[in-house]
Amino acid sequence: MIRARTPSAAVPRARKGEETRAQILEAAVQQASEAGFESITIGALAQRTGLSKSGLFAHFGSRSDLQVAVLDEAARRFAETVFLPAMKAPRGLPRLRAIVGRFIGWTESAGLNGGCPILAAGIEFDDIAGPMREAVAGYQRQRGRELARAVQLAVDTGELAADTDPRQFVFELDGIALAYYHAARLVGDDQARNRALAAFERLVASYSPPLSPSAAARR
Amino acid sequence: MIRARTPSAAVPRARKGEETRAQILEAAVQQASEAGFESITIGALAQRTGLSKSGLFAHFGSRSDLQVAVLDEAARRFAETVFLPAMKAPRGLPRLRAIVGRFIGWTESAGLNGGCPILAAGIEFDDIAGPMREAVAGYQRQRGRELARAVQLAVDTGELAADTDPRQFVFELDGIALAYYHAARLVGDDQARNRALAAFERLVASYSPPLSPSAAARR
DNA sequence: GGCACAATAGTACGACCGTTCGTTTTTTGT
DNA sequence: ACAAAAAACGAACGGTCGTACTATTGTGCC
């Protein structure tokens, strides 16, 4: 749909509705981070944002549409917090390190008070067919592909062994990130970040190419 | 409290109530496995078991007591399915391997149709103070200690390097298990078990003691 | 300033939530 | 067989859920 834009509109600021919609999403993402998507309720969210139930409801056609919107927003923040900045690092191991460094504890960097909403959604909906399950599975697969590409680049630069299976590497990397969340958020291990970084270094070492003179020199 | 037992009671079968209580828990654990603890609702559970709401309710003083009871039951099944059988394996690497082999996909072995309830509880309640949070954290810490002990035994037998940090090892092992669940249940990777077992072998290899003649011969 | 429309509020509905209470049925011990 | 105790039921309560509807307020454009 093409909309003629009046040149007089100096700042095409989002029609008010989009602003409050963003505020709603902010509160909802926070809620999902703290207590899961099932805890996202119209009434509670209306109270949290100071809107009326019906006023809030009108922004999303249904609760499940709202949930999906929250997941989309969480995924957007993840990309914005973890992947986008890491792309500035040179390809190969430095970029991989940048990704991992931001991946570990990204929710705090993104201003979330609770856990990772995408992970929460995955566990909440892994047995419940529907749009949420498909959306979160899609995001996870996409993230897997992006990570695998970053790993492949590190193979290309020779920083990882030539026979590295990127998908296996990503599997083990995922494990480190998950173990971090598990240890940090649930068990309350304050060493979690150190353990995660140590695990990553061990992972990289175990995938390092056989020692060559130049590689040995680089140590 | 001492209760005089009449010798005529040949089979001191559980007072009827405990039987139905067990049936309720069976259904409830299943529900938690499939859709999380928040989805455990008195009405739905009553329908599932054929009881009346109030009849079911009477077995547990409150919904949150019911949730804790479900978590206890899940933890009991975990120990029964994973740890107890593995204790028959000789201490050291074989036992560790037995634990891991049963850990990966233990929910299916335990007859659960969905994911791991303990993991679900961890993510659902990691930000919600209360008895559930404390209970699940307690179980997780206990499991961590038991795993660490099994790792230490493998160090003692010389199958793992002497300078192995059992807690770091457990951290990485947890990651593998979590990555397995994530990949298998959400992303739908049918290679998940293979990847997990491969990751474990890589983990063991990376913690192997420096080659000695006897160790080399054992290969 | 006033028109058109987007945005929000208000109200009501039926469904289900956890929980209580009094009654009825079933089990248990003798 | 019978009385006591345990277990299950049925109805009702106050709340909150998501979601329709209509009314009111606010915003943006000429």
Side-chain angles (χ1 to χ4, degrees):
Chain A
M1 181 200 299
I2 299 175
R3 173 120 58 108
R5 170 83 64 190
T6 316
S8 70
V11 176
R13 92 172 166 95
R15 310 274 286 281
K16 173 93 189 314
E18 301 182 20
E19 252 178 45
T20 64
R21 190 188 142 104
Q23 290 175 344
I24 296 171
L25 279 183
E26 159 66 26
V29 169
Q30 203 70 248
Q31 178 69 29
S33 164
E34 291 169 17
F37 282 77
E38 202 52 50
S39 83
I40 295 184
T41 185
I42 309 277
L45 215 50
Q47 198 162 350
R48 195 157 165 167
T49 55
L51 290 178
S52 68
K53 269 175 65 175
S54 54
L56 187 148
F57 183 82
H59 283 274
F60 314 85
S62 70
R63 183 172 106 115
S64 97
D65 284 5
L66 167 59
Q67 286 177 323
V68 172
V70 172
L71 179 61
D72 290 343
E73 170 66 12
R76 197 189 61 75
R77 292 199 190 184
F78 178 81
E80 182 182 273
T81 309
V82 178
F83 271 105
L84 286 189
M87 280 306 159
K88 290 186 222 154
R91 63 182 60 187
L93 217 42
R95 184 177 297 175
L96 207 51
R97 245 185 259 276
I99 293 176
V100 170
R102 294 169 183 278
F103 195 174
I104 304 299
W106 78 272
T107 51
E108 297 172 37
S109 316
L112 294 179
N113 296 330
C116 171
I118 305 174
L119 176 57
I123 294 194
E124 279 188 60
F125 296 97
D126 64 354
D127 274 310
I128 303 172
M132 276 301 280
R133 193 198 140 93
E134 313 213 354
V136 68
Y139 282 123
Q140 296 286 19
R141 275 192 280 264
Q142 176 186 339
R143 192 184 48 92
R145 282 195 303 271
E146 286 167 351
L147 273 177
R149 200 179 317 143
V151 170
Q152 183 61 50
L153 288 177
V155 174
D156 294 345
T157 61
E159 290 160 303
L160 294 182
D163 64 344
T164 298
D165 176 359
R167 305 228 298 165
Q168 179 72 24
F169 189 105
V170 168
F171 179 93
E172 299 180 29
L173 185 53
D174 264 345
I176 294 173
L178 291 168
Y180 165 77
Y181 271 105
H182 195 250
R185 300 201 47 76
L186 183 60
V187 188
D189 182 357
D190 50 5
Q191 293 288 348
R193 179 166 244 270
N194 290 339
R195 292 204 188 285
L197 293 179
F200 177 65
E201 292 309 324
R202 293 179 46 83
L203 181 65
V204 168
S206 78
Y207 276 100
S208 285
L211 279 181
S212 70
S214 63
R218 217 182 305 135
R219 293 213 163 184
Chain B
M1 181 200 301
I2 298 175
R3 172 122 56 111
R5 170 82 65 190
T6 315
S8 71
V11 175
R13 91 175 167 91
R15 312 274 287 280
K16 171 87 190 314
E18 301 182 19
E19 251 178 46
T20 63
R21 189 188 143 105
Q23 290 175 345
I24 296 172
L25 279 183
E26 158 66 26
V29 169
Q30 204 68 247
Q31 178 70 29
S33 164
E34 290 169 16
F37 282 77
E38 203 51 52
S39 83
I40 294 184
T41 184
I42 309 276
L45 214 51
Q47 199 163 351
R48 195 156 165 170
T49 54
L51 291 178
S52 68
K53 270 174 62 177
S54 53
L56 188 148
F57 183 84
H59 282 274
F60 314 85
S62 70
R63 181 171 107 114
S64 98
D65 284 5
L66 167 60
Q67 286 178 323
V68 173
V70 172
L71 179 61
D72 290 343
E73 170 66 13
R76 197 190 60 76
R77 292 199 190 186
F78 177 81
E80 182 182 273
T81 309
V82 178
F83 271 105
L84 286 189
M87 280 305 158
K88 290 186 223 153
R91 65 181 59 185
L93 217 43
R95 183 177 296 176
L96 206 51
R97 245 185 259 277
I99 292 176
V100 170
R102 294 167 184 278
F103 195 175
I104 304 299
W106 78 272
T107 51
E108 298 172 36
S109 316
L112 294 178
N113 296 331
C116 172
I118 306 174
L119 176 58
I123 294 195
E124 278 188 60
F125 295 97
D126 63 354
D127 274 309
I128 304 172
M132 276 300 281
R133 192 199 139 94
E134 312 211 355
V136 68
Y139 282 123
Q140 296 287 18
R141 275 193 280 262
Q142 176 186 341
R143 193 186 48 94
R145 282 195 304 270
E146 286 167 350
L147 273 177
R149 201 179 317 144
V151 170
Q152 183 60 51
L153 288 177
V155 174
D156 294 344
T157 61
E159 290 161 304
L160 293 182
D163 64 344
T164 297
D165 176 359
R167 306 227 298 166
Q168 178 72 23
F169 190 105
V170 168
F171 179 93
E172 300 179 29
L173 186 51
D174 265 345
I176 294 174
L178 291 167
Y180 164 78
Y181 272 104
H182 195 250
R185 301 201 46 76
L186 183 60
V187 188
D189 182 357
D190 50 6
Q191 294 288 345
R193 179 165 243 271
N194 290 340
R195 291 203 189 285
L197 294 179
F200 177 65
E201 292 309 323
R202 293 179 46 83
L203 182 64
V204 168
S206 79
Y207 276 100
S208 284
L211 278 181
S212 70
S214 64
R218 217 181 308 135
R219 293 211 164 185

